[in-house]
Amino acid sequence: MIGKQHVQAQQRVPVYHDPWARREAWRKHPIFSKSSNFKTMFPGLGIATVAFIAYCGVEHFFLKDKKHH
């Protein structure tokens, strides 16, 4: 008797009619997409931007220098 998981696993396997399609399938993987590469190009940029804006806001409103030249 064939298990249910075995049948489901067989159904998910793509059928390649081209002999080289299996070797080229990695190019279509989502990790290599342009949007994925753009998101990971600058790790921490979003957090750094928010921190810089918060610093500028605190400096502008709370750390004003009363003496001007």
Side-chain angles (χ1 to χ4, degrees):
M1 182 173 228
I2 298 175
K4 187 176 183 181
Q5 292 176 346
H6 181 69
V7 173
Q8 289 174 349
Q10 282 183 336
Q11 291 174 351
R12 281 188 240 136
V13 175
V15 178
Y16 298 108
H17 299 289
D18 180 18
W20 291 98
R22 190 152 142 248
R23 291 173 179 86
E24 296 292 322
W26 67 271
R27 296 177 191 260
K28 293 181 176 61
H29 195 276
I31 200 168
F32 297 112
S33 69
K34 289 185 181 183
S35 63
S36 175
N37 287 338
F38 184 72
K39 288 177 188 175
T40 59
M41 189 182 309
F42 301 109
L45 180 64
I47 294 171
T49 303
V50 171
F52 180 71
I53 291 171
Y55 171 75
C56 289
V58 168
E59 184 180 22
H60 179 72
F61 292 111
F62 297 111
L63 302 177
K64 288 186 178 180
D65 188 17
K66 301 296 180 192
K67 299 177 186 177
H68 293 287
H69 295 303

